[in-house]
Amino acid sequence: DPTAPGRRADDGGGRARGSPPPAFRGSLGEVAALFLKLGVIAFGGPAAHVAMMRREVVDRRGWIGDQEFLDLFGAANLIPGPSSTEMAIFLGYVRAGWPALILAGTLFILPAMLIVMALAWAYVRFGSLPQSEWVLYGIKPVIIAIIVQALWRLSKTALKDWLLGGLTIAVILLYVRGGNVVDLLVGAGAFIAIVHGARRRQLSQFIAAVPPAALGSPVAAGAPFSMPVLFLTFLKIGAVTYGSGYVLLAFLRSDFVVHLHWLTDRQLIDAIAVGQLTPGPVFTTATFVGYLTGGLRGALLSTLGIFLPSFIFVALIYPLIPRVRRSPTARAFLDGVTAAALGLMAAVTWQLGRAAVIDVATAGMAVAALGVLLRSRVNSAWLVIGGALLGVVIKLIVG
């Protein structure tokens, strides 16, 4: 809605490029309500979470425009940690300042943390996880539709010319052939910045974000359980991990199975499964691991450890974003990063779609949900709930 408060035509609905941040226009209550809701319904992993956030803050509420959303999206992909949680933190700060920075991130994490702790309790007590296939059968195709709609809308703003479009396609091809996520993001940004500088005949220096070197395991192999070690291990993982839940799996296995011997491979796989099956950030896998190793206190410390770096990184990075907008070379770098991030999002969506759309019923649900999303501003929560209910009905009918 171009008449929504705070929108301007010069950046696709957000603030003018290079302009200073405005006075915070929102309230803590509206930030809390939105991100608590998203924490409850945001199934499907980071790509789905970002898609839902865009629909809520750009399409439905008009808090910011697509260009500013893309700037934040690019910045979130450049720093370690869960990108969707970092987007929540960024968006909270943009809307209502420092208190909202903490509130948005915390409430986005909280529902998943509580659900994971409940599942961890059931796992410890009964030795297995509750069945959830019926609900997920209906939710997954709806999530794919939400991501596709967001990709379509964001690409129209982000891919300003044929070069950025070609770069996005190249990133998709390189990712499916095993390309490293960080290398693709930084390399794409550097490429566009160099091309932009050559076009302007101003090959100025720019700084590319380099992922911090992975720190060694803080204790020797087979160490006895320790709460400080549990917290510091997850603090390290939160500070250095890029990429998906599969990257997180590698870190968790190295630390908790190989070095510390606190978990078995079976327990680790179950922990990752819980992170994938519950709404909110996949990094709440840490909550499950913490509960298995240290009970309720361990669950809380693990959650704090893995997410704390994201709050710190966002607080440090956000003040630099207006400077990036004012620098042509840095702006080009961020454009390249954003194009690469959209390519990664598209590649992951294809992979998720193959697992979500498995028959005629799920294909029909995905197409119907996409049609609704493209034609209306319906709340994503209703689509997710409707998909879950329909999935249960179909499974009951077909047995």
Side-chain angles (χ1 to χ4, degrees):
D1 179 6
T3 63
R7 291 199 170 195
R8 292 177 58 179
D10 52 358
D11 74 343
R15 296 193 300 266
R17 289 191 191 177
S19 61
F24 299 116
R25 299 185 296 272
S27 68
L28 292 179
E30 65 179 350
V31 170
L34 173 60
F35 287 100
L36 183 60
K37 181 187 81 171
L38 288 173
V40 172
I41 67 166
F43 288 88
H49 303 165
V50 171
M52 289 183 180
M53 289 177 195
R54 184 207 162 275
R55 184 160 182 82
E56 293 289 344
V57 303
V58 178
D59 284 347
R60 298 190 67 239
R61 289 169 170 79
W63 287 2
I64 59 175
D66 266 330
Q67 185 60 59
E68 188 170 3
F69 188 90
L70 286 165
D71 288 342
L72 298 177
F73 182 51
N77 277 280
L78 277 176
I79 55 181
S83 57
S84 60
T85 303
E86 288 160 351
M87 279 297 292
I89 299 169
F90 271 129
L91 292 168
Y93 180 77
V94 168
R95 186 61 180 169
W98 283 101
L101 177 150
I102 298 171
L103 191 64
T106 301
L107 291 180
F108 182 63
I109 296 165
L110 182 62
M113 184 191 77
L114 295 176
I115 294 170
V116 169
M117 280 199 295
L119 291 174
W121 173 85
Y123 184 84
V124 170
R125 184 174 179 85
F126 303 111
S128 63
L129 297 172
Q131 297 297 313
S132 57
E133 289 85 356
W134 290 11
V135 171
L136 290 174
Y137 173 83
I139 287 178
K140 286 180 179 180
V142 173
I143 295 300
I144 296 302
I146 292 172
I147 302 173
V148 169
Q149 187 258 0
L151 279 170
W152 171 250
R153 295 284 174 83
L154 289 173
S155 65
K156 292 194 293 186
T157 301
L159 307 183
K160 304 175 178 70
D161 54 37
W162 66 267
L163 183 62
L164 289 170
L167 181 64
T168 299
I169 294 172
V171 167
I172 293 172
L173 296 175
L174 290 171
Y175 176 77
V176 299
R177 292 178 64 86
N180 179 274
V181 170
V182 181
D183 290 345
L184 292 172
L185 289 168
V186 177
F191 173 73
I192 294 298
I194 291 171
V195 170
H196 177 82
R199 284 174 173 175
R200 295 171 56 90
R201 302 177 185 276
Q202 295 175 351
L203 295 175
S204 55
Q205 293 182 344
F206 61 92
I207 300 175
V210 178
L215 306 176
S217 183
V219 294
F225 177 77
S226 161
M227 285 290 183
V229 170
L230 179 69
F231 173 76
L232 290 174
T233 301
F234 275 113
L235 187 69
K236 175 202 74 175
I237 292 172
V240 303
T241 302
Y242 283 88
S244 68
Y246 301 108
V247 178
L248 176 65
L249 174 61
F251 275 91
L252 292 177
R253 188 177 188 280
S254 174
D255 281 316
F256 289 98
V257 177
V258 176
H259 291 287
L260 297 173
H261 298 294
W262 291 354
L263 293 178
T264 65
D265 275 325
R266 171 62 187 274
Q267 288 174 319
L268 180 58
I269 291 171
D270 288 340
I272 291 291
V274 166
Q276 298 284 346
L277 293 175
T278 51
V282 175
F283 276 47
T284 48
T285 296
T287 308
F288 192 88
V289 173
Y291 191 95
L292 293 189
T293 55
L296 178 60
R297 186 181 169 204
L300 295 174
L301 277 176
S302 299
T303 306
L304 176 63
I306 201 166
F307 286 108
L308 182 60
S310 293
F311 288 88
I312 296 172
F313 288 141
V314 169
L316 294 175
I317 291 295
Y318 183 78
L320 302 179
I321 294 177
R323 297 183 185 180
V324 170
R325 291 195 189 99
R326 290 192 292 268
S327 166
T329 303
R331 172 75 254 174
F333 178 80
L334 192 55
D335 283 345
V337 170
T338 302
L342 287 177
L344 293 172
M345 192 172 170
V348 171
T349 302
W350 172 254
Q351 294 171 338
L352 294 174
R354 295 175 63 187
V357 182
I358 56 176
D359 53 27
V360 174
T362 49
M365 292 166 66
V367 171
L370 182 59
V372 171
L373 288 166
L374 291 174
R375 292 175 176 272
S376 71
R377 294 186 182 184
V378 64
N379 192 321
S380 300
W382 294 117
L383 289 175
V384 172
I385 293 170
L389 293 175
L390 189 57
V392 171
V393 170
I394 291 173
K395 283 292 186 180
L396 287 173
I397 292 173
V398 301

